[in-house]
Amino acid sequence: MKSRLNARSWRSAVVFLLLLLASSSAMAQKQDAGDVISNPGVIITIVLILIPLLIAVYLVTVKVRALVAKIKIREASAQKNAVLEELKSADADQLSAILAQREKAVSYKLSNHELAGTLPPEDKKGLINQPNQVNIRFVPAKKRSAKRPQVNPALAKMIIWYLGAATLWLVLGTSIGEYLGIKFVSPDVDHVSWLSFGRLRPVHTNMVFWGWSSLAMIGLGYYVVYTVSNTAVKSLSWAWASFWLINASVFFGTISLMAGVNNGGGEYREYIWPIMLLFGIGLAITLGNYLTIIAKRKPKEIYVSNWYIVSAAIFTIVISLVGYLPFWQNGLGETIAQGYYMHQGVGMWFMLFVLGLVYYFLPQQLNTPIYSYSLGILAFWSQILFYTVIGTHHFIFSAIPWWLQTTAIVGSMGMLIPVAAGTTNFLMTMRGNFHKLGTSYTLPFYLVGIVFYFTGSFQGTAEAFRTANLYWHFTDFTVAHSHLTMYGIIAFFLWAFVYTLVPRLTGKEPLHALVGAHFWMALIGMMFYTVPLMIGSTIRGVEWMEGKPFIDTVANMAPYWVWRAIGGSLMWGSHLVFAYNLYSMTRGGGIANQQALVFEQLKKED
């Protein structure tokens, strides 16, 4: 007994020492640069990069198989034509004899009495024939889904205007981003103060944040909240007022930033408060409209999409107050408020709102119910719990209290729960529908959004580790990560929703080849943009840790910035294609709804 106690004591001591060593290495601020490949954050990031690449290979394989099928059909058609030509040149009497013989062979059937005979069986107990027996249901009959209400033409018009304005800001904002990418390669391309990098960079980010993503989400949100509530929008005039207020904030904010009038160093809150107030009022009006619709809903339940959408609007009003009220804008308080504002803007406005839209559009597009309502609620509450405390992980090794940095890292780890729950929910909803990827022009956008929701979010958790921050902090790695999330998740999902909804509102579809061009240019461009930046930034972080001169690390980044410009050019080109696709679905000559045309022609015939 004593020996066992001694053995347990030794084991406890060894485990304690191992934990102590592990914790000391995790909390250390210095690490050998040669350990970069074995760093957990780097390993996780490499694995996550490979996942979308494998998905892209899968999509290419699907397309190639579809092309091979077309070629086989073409060959079969050619063989059919050759057989027809041969039949035309053959003798009629000979063909008739061959056909008669073949018909006799095909029509031959067994009498089914070869073994049993022709006498009826004795079946007094009804073991064979059960004409009056009712089949017992082991699964209750499912309730048929209710028909979707017709979209009010005035509401449809307003939604299209929201999407049109959002697309305009997307093209303008990414045109500026394209120019900034060129400046990385050729920094002396101009010497105009209004076009300097320091002024144009916030113009780019704020225009795609508050102009493109926000307007598109709000417009799509009106359709989803209205549809799942099965009621009418109370005030379209207030919705239009919100539309003009948000557009005015982006317009005046752009002019202000280019003129050098800004809010200081707060990222994503560079608009001065009177301009951002316009956006806040527009968002408050939108929230009021959403709540009124939900309050007057006909179904008893509140569908999970409305949980996400309304919460996103509420959180955004809160974070805007935190970011702009002067109470916390001094010293370290401003830094903490900046981390909260910046990260909550991404996670509790864009991500939360878009996930709410996914919970409606994905199952509706697949004609399949969401896999698990419970997983959706788990993801919702766990995201609110963990995401609201992770903003400080952008300021690791800063003067912010160490315990607050640790809290942010723990919250980042906790974010694996909603990400895993949401990804599982979406993929299981798509289960049995993956074969449709080759014939659908919307599902690839959904799939890419789901994949990057997992990989981009997981990579953000890996980047929060202190050991990974040693390499990546203050480098372009954060730029790559932000594009993996805001572009790979938010933009791809929004494009999926637009291609799903607009044909329903207008009766016109885009040219499918151009949708494919948009998809592949955006996906390949994003990979060209992000992967080289991740590689170059990791190398740069190692060089900093080795004490190399800063200017040398700048020069060494030049090849990776070239790839950034190439990828950005592809992404920008895809946005031009998307803008044309939206135009073709609303005003131009898209593919008309063939079913509707047939019914219109039948009405004319009557």
Side-chain angles (χ1 to χ4, degrees):
M1 186 69 180
K2 186 175 181 180
S3 61
R4 289 182 181 178
L5 290 174
N6 291 334
R8 289 180 181 177
S9 300
W10 276 106
R11 289 175 193 165
S12 301
V14 171
V15 170
F16 176 77
L17 288 174
L18 289 174
L19 290 174
L20 185 64
L21 291 172
S23 62
S24 62
S25 63
M27 304 288 280
Q29 299 189 29
K30 186 175 181 181
Q31 181 169 334
D32 185 9
D35 294 337
V36 61
I37 300 301
S38 61
N39 187 283
V42 177
I43 294 173
I44 292 172
T45 299
I46 293 172
V47 173
L48 294 174
I49 290 172
L50 292 176
I51 292 175
L53 292 178
L54 293 175
I55 296 295
V57 172
Y58 170 73
L59 292 176
V60 171
T61 304
V62 170
K63 294 293 183 182
V64 170
R65 290 180 63 183
L67 180 61
V68 171
K70 287 183 180 180
I71 294 174
K72 289 182 178 179
I73 293 172
R74 196 176 305 159
E75 291 178 351
S77 178
Q79 292 177 1
K80 177 195 72 175
N81 294 332
V83 171
L84 290 175
E85 291 296 329
E86 186 176 350
L87 291 175
K88 289 179 182 179
S89 61
D91 181 62
D93 295 335
Q94 184 180 3
L95 285 176
S96 298
I98 294 174
L99 288 174
Q101 185 178 3
R102 179 59 182 166
E103 184 178 0
K104 182 179 179 181
V106 171
S107 60
Y108 175 77
K109 294 181 179 178
L110 294 173
S111 64
N112 295 324
H113 300 302
E114 284 80 5
L115 297 177
T118 57
L119 297 176
E122 291 186 4
D123 188 26
K124 296 179 180 180
K125 295 185 178 181
L127 297 177
I128 300 175
N129 298 315
Q130 302 177 11
N132 299 321
Q133 183 68 32
V134 178
N135 292 329
I136 300 175
R137 284 187 175 274
F138 291 95
V139 179
K142 300 296 187 293
K143 181 181 178 181
R144 292 183 178 273
S145 59
K147 292 183 179 179
R148 295 195 308 273
Q150 296 294 325
V151 180
N152 181 357
L155 176 62
K157 178 182 177 181
M158 185 201 68
I159 293 172
I160 290 173
W161 271 77
Y162 266 90
L163 297 178
T167 303
L168 174 64
W169 292 123
L170 171 67
V171 172
L172 291 177
T174 52
S175 296
I176 294 172
E178 169 73 3
Y179 186 63
L180 293 173
I182 293 173
K183 281 200 165 192
F184 272 93
V185 181
S186 180
D188 295 328
V189 67
D190 72 74
H191 299 281
V192 181
S193 60
W194 279 50
L195 301 180
S196 62
F197 186 91
R199 297 189 186 184
L200 287 185
R201 196 266 178 179
V203 170
H204 162 67
T205 55
N206 285 275
M207 195 176 285
V208 296
F209 268 42
W210 313 123
W212 150 242
S213 299
S214 298
L215 279 173
M217 291 189 314
I218 292 173
L220 293 163
Y222 270 109
Y223 177 82
V224 172
V225 175
Y226 150 85
T227 303
V228 300
S229 300
N230 196 17
T231 186
V233 178
K234 179 183 178 182
S235 177
L236 287 177
S237 60
W238 283 110
W240 280 108
S242 174
F243 171 82
W244 291 114
L245 283 169
I246 294 174
N247 277 285
S249 70
V250 178
F251 175 78
F252 290 120
T254 299
I255 301 300
S256 171
L257 292 177
M258 293 183 71
V261 180
N262 56 63
N263 192 41
E267 192 173 18
Y268 309 144
R269 56 172 178 158
E270 289 90 353
Y271 289 171
I272 57 177
W273 73 263
I275 292 175
M276 197 61 186
L277 182 62
L278 298 176
F279 182 90
I281 295 173
L283 183 58
I285 293 171
T286 301
L287 175 61
N289 251 344
Y290 287 168
L291 289 174
T292 305
I293 297 170
I294 296 170
K296 295 185 176 181
R297 70 190 183 278
K298 293 180 181 178
K300 181 180 178 181
E301 299 82 5
I302 299 178
Y303 185 61
V304 64
S305 291
N306 287 349
W307 287 52
Y308 279 85
I309 291 171
V310 168
S311 298
I314 293 173
F315 268 103
T316 306
I317 293 173
V318 172
I319 65 176
S320 298
L321 293 175
V322 172
Y324 279 88
L325 290 177
F327 312 136
W328 305 282
Q329 310 304 322
N330 293 309
L332 284 178
E334 182 176 14
T335 304
I336 297 171
Q338 168 60 29
Y340 177 82
Y341 173 89
M342 171 181 59
H343 229 298
Q344 302 319 297
V346 174
M348 304 307 288
W349 171 233
F350 298 112
M351 193 69 71
L352 205 63
F353 202 119
V354 164
L355 289 176
L357 297 176
V358 175
Y359 274 102
Y360 171 78
F361 280 110
L362 179 63
Q364 199 281 326
Q365 183 73 349
L366 295 170
N367 196 24
T368 303
I370 195 70
Y371 173 71
S372 173
Y373 197 91
S374 299
L375 278 177
I377 299 302
L378 170 65
F380 174 80
W381 286 113
S382 56
Q383 178 153 339
I384 289 176
L385 174 64
F386 292 112
Y387 212 108
T388 49
V389 298
I390 69 175
T392 315
H393 76 199
H394 283 272
F395 304 106
I396 302 298
F397 304 124
S398 68
I400 291 175
W402 192 260
W403 68 265
L404 189 56
Q405 300 177 35
T406 304
T407 301
I409 296 172
V410 173
S412 301
M413 292 293 296
M415 275 302 298
L416 296 179
I417 297 174
V419 170
T423 304
T424 301
N425 218 0
F426 300 148
L427 290 178
M428 293 302 288
T429 302
M430 291 189 69
R431 181 183 56 176
N433 293 282
F434 287 100
H435 65 281
K436 298 178 182 178
L437 287 168
T439 56
S440 172
Y441 64 87
T442 57
L443 288 182
F445 287 94
Y446 285 101
L447 181 60
V448 169
I450 294 169
V451 169
F452 280 105
Y453 173 56
F454 176 77
T455 57
S457 302
F458 204 129
Q459 191 273 316
T461 297
E463 194 174 351
F465 298 158
R466 283 192 173 94
T467 52
N469 249 259
L470 288 171
Y471 300 110
W472 293 334
H473 202 40
F474 299 122
T475 69
D476 286 352
F477 199 100
T478 305
V479 178
H481 169 67
S482 64
H483 281 77
L484 280 178
T485 53
M486 284 300 299
Y487 198 85
I489 305 172
I490 306 301
F492 269 88
F493 270 140
L494 289 177
W495 289 327
F497 306 150
V498 170
Y499 285 130
T500 299
L501 177 60
V502 175
R504 299 180 193 169
L505 302 180
T506 64
K508 293 181 179 180
E509 293 186 2
L511 295 175
H512 297 173
L514 289 181
V515 178
H518 169 208
F519 173 81
W520 287 110
M521 289 173 66
L523 179 59
I524 295 172
M526 182 181 65
M527 300 309 295
F528 281 1
Y529 187 105
T530 56
V531 174
L533 278 186
M534 288 181 176
I535 297 172
S537 298
T538 304
I539 296 173
R540 192 179 194 187
V542 172
E543 291 174 343
W544 285 354
M545 293 176 64
E546 292 176 347
K548 292 188 177 180
F550 176 80
I551 193 62
D552 290 349
T553 67
V554 174
N556 293 338
M557 280 296 295
Y560 305 101
W561 285 334
V562 171
W563 278 106
R564 169 186 175 143
I566 294 172
S569 299
L570 285 171
M571 295 155 70
W572 176 67
S574 75
H575 305 159
L576 300 180
V577 177
F578 168 67
Y580 177 79
N581 287 340
L582 182 63
Y583 172 78
S584 68
M585 289 187 288
T586 54
R587 301 293 181 188
I591 303 175
N593 188 325
Q594 299 297 325
Q595 186 178 11
L597 291 178
V598 169
F599 280 107
E600 287 179 8
Q601 187 63 31
L602 290 174
K603 289 179 181 179
K604 292 178 181 178
E605 294 295 332
D606 292 340

